[in-house]
Amino acid sequence: MLDDPKPTKLVEIDNLKMHFPIHTGLFRRHTGDVKAVDGVSFDIFEGETLGLVGESGCGKSTCGRAALRLYDITDGSILIDGDQIGDMSQKDLRTKRPTMQMVFQDPQASLNPRMTVQAIIQEPLDEHTSLSASEKREKVLELMDQVGLNRKFAGRYPHAFSGGQRQRIGIARALALNPKFIVCDEPIAALDVSIQAQVVNLLEDLQKEFGLTYLFISHDLSMVRHIATRVAVMYLGKIVELAPREALYAEPLHPYTKALLSAVPEPDPDLHDTMERTILTGDVPSPANPPKGCNFCTRCPAVMDICKQQEPDYREVLPGRYVACHHYNEVQTAADSTAASEASDQQSLSNTKNDQIN
Amino acid sequence: MTEAATPPSLDTRTEAPARNQWWDVWDQFKTHKGAVMGACFFIFIVLAVYVGPWIWSIDPTYIDIRARNQGSSFAHPFGTDQLGRDMLARMMAGGQTSISVGLTAMGLALFLGTLVGVLAGYFKRIDGLLMRTTDLFLALPLLPLLLVMVMLFRQPLSASFGPETGIFILIVIAIGITSWMPTARIVRGDVLALKEREFVLAARSIGTRPGRMILRHVLPNVMSPIMVSATLGIATAIITESALSFLGLGFPPDFPTWGRLLFDATDFMQQHPQRVMWPGLAISLTVLAVNYMGDGLRDALDPRIRGL
């Protein structure tokens, strides 16, 4: 946290890569890779929530899953609670699983339709503890209380619940082993707006109660603003900007972040009509064939020549603010600085916009 | 209870032992009329062939040559065959063999098919090998293979287990290992689809071991195709056994099975059609009853249907 002078890092991810091979042709030859996550580095401090945002298909979910080693990662190191799990075998990883858990996007699909709520929440206890049957039952009922489910529902099957209730079951399952780190993979994307708020508040309450650390993956910028301590913005398998929440929403640095924030719907109709949106043209390039240079150069409104040649470094430009953009590199040509000033113009615009909102 | 906030009335409700899930299964099963009728008929057949001989105590092998080829009468409700043996007694004795062959062979085929299917679907490394083996078995012509197996193994098995048990084992194994392939293919397909479901990923994130993953998450969810295969399997096994006996390659000639009775009766079909009818009817109705039963059981085992 910000007021804590020396926060400890619970999760340290360095240069995480997750490439999925493409096999084509008659002989299923390895002809390329989908670079879903391509060199992502971030740290998560104990007790904080790191929001991970980005548009569809940019590798958010893959990044979250790879961070828990649900995939066998291509490269990189993952340090969770002092253990290097990046190259650990799945067998050794089993004993580390209780520290890190996951809440899934689709509460319908992430619960086994043939198991009762009791059995679902109890599964982690079956796998990692040696409690007696009655102790397990007691623990399950306690967990159901904590996530706000009626104890009477323990014998029911998932299909009998609403989306929000199912997500609570999923959260209870993730909490069963008292984890330190929970990856929330778009936990609210499949829910109604009113239920979204309930689930997010539940996640916040649980965080306060148990001192949990979240990696909160979402494409809902306002929800991330509500829950996250720091926010990382992903584009095409890479983190383009990572900053504390207030700083990022007040003054986005990377052109992509600016575009993303300007796409947040404006509830005031007058403002909605007058506000200047940065509208991106074109589509996200294929992660199997990313552009040369900066990944964002094909759609960037402030693109420079260097962007198409050289990949920008991901560096700390201000304390606690990391950006991967040539605009913030120290060496800039005259032409670039005009582009940068344009960018800062947009920036001040968005600042005034944000001031008006607040 | 540690929670002070929870009202005590709620606690007494939750402390009551949870209703056994099998009661829910039974409740759903009862709503399927065809399944209940099928089950009743199947129980009736099983009782008739296993308990019946205690009541109808005529020896199925007793030859009364003077009473041969008779129609239905009080002395012989199903008539007699060409040697004057009582058809009802022979139907009962034959039913015992046919039903036990059907059930055991189905069990064996189902076990093999599910094992191969789940392993092939779940473990990618052995998928190719197992499925090519399945293809190999599918490509073998069934009947000639059975004939060769019976020819090769009848003598040694009869010698070591006695003629009846030896043939029983032989027939069960022969039918079992030649009819597991469709089950394996169906199960593999379902397992492949299931493996990509999010709840399997969730179980992985919990750290569930592969063995438990299969037993807890995969098998219960491939129950439906397995149940369908099972009911069809019983039917096919009874019919295959009948076919083998019909070809004279199953059990010894004096040992009645429904298929053998049918085979013996075909020579007299013109004169005594009822002798073909009874075993034929028994086979068809048993198969039908089992199919209905499996249908109902499959629905009853699915909590999504059960909840309605």
Side-chain angles (χ1 to χ4, degrees), chain A residues 59-221:
Chain A
K60 305 184 295 284
S61 291
T62 311
C63 181
R65 290 175 182 188
L68 292 189
R69 281 293 313 279
L70 292 181
Y71 298 128
D72 286 324
I73 58 171
T74 313
D75 193 20
S77 94
I78 306 166
L79 212 62
I80 293 183
D81 202 22
D83 294 309
Q84 175 58 254
I85 63 162
D87 49 6
M88 211 177 247
S89 73
Q90 291 290 348
K91 207 175 156 192
D92 297 335
L93 206 56
R94 238 195 116 242
T95 54
K96 306 281 176 233
R97 289 278 179 214
T99 339
M100 44 187 190
Q101 288 290 311
M102 188 154 182
V103 176
F104 288 86
Q105 174 174 7
D106 186 348
Q108 162 88 63
S110 64
L111 305 175
N112 187 341
R114 302 257 173 179
M115 282 163 83
T116 60
V117 173
Q118 162 85 30
I120 289 170
I121 304 178
Q122 194 181 302
E123 188 178 6
L125 302 173
D126 290 338
E127 286 300 321
H128 292 285
T129 65
S130 50
L131 300 173
S132 72
S134 61
E135 282 171 327
K136 280 181 195 161
R137 184 166 169 79
E138 195 49 44
K139 172 86 180 156
V140 168
L141 293 177
E142 240 168 65
L143 284 163
M144 289 181 71
D145 286 344
Q146 277 161 2
V147 299
L149 282 169
N150 194 328
R151 288 178 164 220
K152 278 190 280 181
F153 297 161
R156 296 199 186 172
Y157 288 87
H159 70 84
F161 292 91
S162 72
Q165 286 172 320
R166 282 183 202 148
Q167 197 56 284
R168 286 170 193 268
I169 300 171
I171 294 171
R173 171 175 61 185
L175 284 176
L177 292 168
N178 304 320
K180 288 184 175 172
F181 176 50
I182 297 184
V183 173
C184 304
D185 182 6
E186 306 205 30
I188 51 169
L191 306 177
D192 285 345
V193 179
S194 57
I195 309 295
Q196 284 186 354
Q198 286 179 13
V199 170
V200 165
N201 289 338
L202 171 68
L203 286 170
E204 281 191 313
D205 293 345
L206 294 170
Q207 183 171 38
K208 276 183 208 130
E209 199 177 335
F210 301 108
L212 300 170
T213 305
Y214 291 138
L215 174 62
F216 191 89
I217 300 167
S218 180
H219 54 246
D220 186 337
L221 288 165

Side-chain angles (χ1 to χ4, degrees), chain B residues 155-217:
Chain B
Q155 290 307 328
L157 278 171
S158 300
S160 40
F161 295 101
E164 270 126 51
T165 326
I167 293 290
F168 181 81
I169 293 171
L170 176 64
I171 299 263
V172 163
I173 291 178
I175 295 174
I177 68 163
T178 50
S179 56
W180 55 269
M181 296 81 75
T183 317
R185 289 188 133 182
I186 295 166
V187 169
R188 171 183 173 265
D190 269 37
V191 171
L192 282 179
L194 267 177
K195 221 171 56 165
E196 300 305 318
R197 295 276 294 276
E198 227 169 30
F199 65 81
V200 174
L201 195 70
R204 278 240 304 283
S205 81
I206 286 164
T208 308
R209 291 190 195 89
R212 293 210 193 159
M213 186 88 94
I214 288 173
L215 290 179
R216 194 182 289 153
H217 294 287

